[in-house]
């Protein structure tokens, strides 16, 4: 049963929590994301196995959502995904620790980007954050996606983030 659904002609668009049976579909979407941005196919025959290993490692701490189009009768085709890593801060005396969700790897096939799919995926993430009582959701948007997240209520987090890239 889908978590949410909308109509796209006679086919529905659904968003649901993905599980281990969806690893192959999530890997295909990740490849499509890379190839859409590169504007060409990317030759990497080892990618699918590497993605499957990564997904098995990440599954315990990451929730994945999958957007699909289709019907019960015809079947479902993956068209987008998003995930959230739950970060559990170290407790300290006198406070109740609340998790933080790091949103990542949002992607919708270009043909479906204007059909409400990105919003449906983000709504699923926000509902999850509320259910889990996350203190906040954070993300590092691409230049192309910043306006989308700003319209959804995300705001700059300040200039306290520092990064080091060890060689």
């Amino acid at each position: 049963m889908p978590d949410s659904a909308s109509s796209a002609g006679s086919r529905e668009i659904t968003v649901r929590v993905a599980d281990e049976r969806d690893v192959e579909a999530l890997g295909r979407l990740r490849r499509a994301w890379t190839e859409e941005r590169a504007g060409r196919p990317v030759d990497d025959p080892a990618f699918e196995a590497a993605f499957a290993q990564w997904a098995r490692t990440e599954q315990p701490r990451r929730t994945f959502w999958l957007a699909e189009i289709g019907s019960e009768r015809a079947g479902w085709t993956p068209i987008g995904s998003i995930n959230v890593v739950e970060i559990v801060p170290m407790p300290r005396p006198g406070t109740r620790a609340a998790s933080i969700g790091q949103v990542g790897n949002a992607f919708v096939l270009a043909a479906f980007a204007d059909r409400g799919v990105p919003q449906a995926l983000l709504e699923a993430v926000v509902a999850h954050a509320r259910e889990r009582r996350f203190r906040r959701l954070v993300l590092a948007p691409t230049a192309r996606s910043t306006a989308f997240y700003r319209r959804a209520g995300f705001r700059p987090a300040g200039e306290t983030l520092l990064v080091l890239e060890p060689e």
Side-chain angles (χ1 to χ4, degrees):
M1 188 75 183
D3 291 345
S4 66
S6 64
S7 179
S10 62
R11 300 181 301 172
E12 284 182 80
I13 294 175
T14 66
V15 173
R16 65 176 176 81
V17 173
D19 62 32
E20 63 277 352
R21 295 168 293 188
D22 298 308
V23 168
E24 189 176 315
L26 292 167
R28 283 193 310 270
L29 286 167
R30 185 64 170 171
R31 178 180 281 282
W33 177 88
T34 303
E35 292 177 348
E36 272 191 14
R37 275 143 188 80
R40 62 177 172 71
V42 175
D43 183 31
D44 184 354
F47 169 74
E48 284 71 16
F51 184 88
Q53 177 60 43
W54 173 85
R56 281 191 296 277
T57 302
E58 289 293 313
Q59 198 81 38
R61 69 186 195 116
R62 198 177 286 257
T63 303
F64 297 84
W65 287 266
L66 191 59
E68 300 170 302
I69 190 166
S71 67
E72 290 298 325
R73 183 174 181 187
W76 299 97
T77 301
I79 59 172
S81 65
I82 195 169
N83 69 73
V84 172
V85 176
E86 183 171 353
I87 301 167
V88 181
M90 180 186 296
R92 62 181 185 176
T95 64
R96 183 183 79 71
S99 294
I100 297 168
Q102 181 176 348
V103 180
N105 311 113
F107 170 69
V108 174
L109 293 172
F112 298 94
D114 63 350
R115 294 190 184 183
V117 179
Q119 293 86 351
L121 285 165
L122 188 57
E123 286 170 8
V125 166
V126 172
H128 175 76
R130 287 184 178 130
E131 289 167 14
R132 303 273 305 176
R133 302 183 110 167
F134 286 1
R135 182 174 36 168
R136 68 177 50 110
L137 287 171
V138 298
L139 55 83
T142 63
R144 287 176 40 186
S145 66
T146 298
F148 167 76
Y149 289 110
R150 296 288 301 262
R151 285 191 305 273
F154 285 78
R155 61 186 181 354
E159 296 190 25
T160 60
L161 181 64
L162 304 176
V163 65
L164 172 70
E165 296 175 5
E167 292 181 53

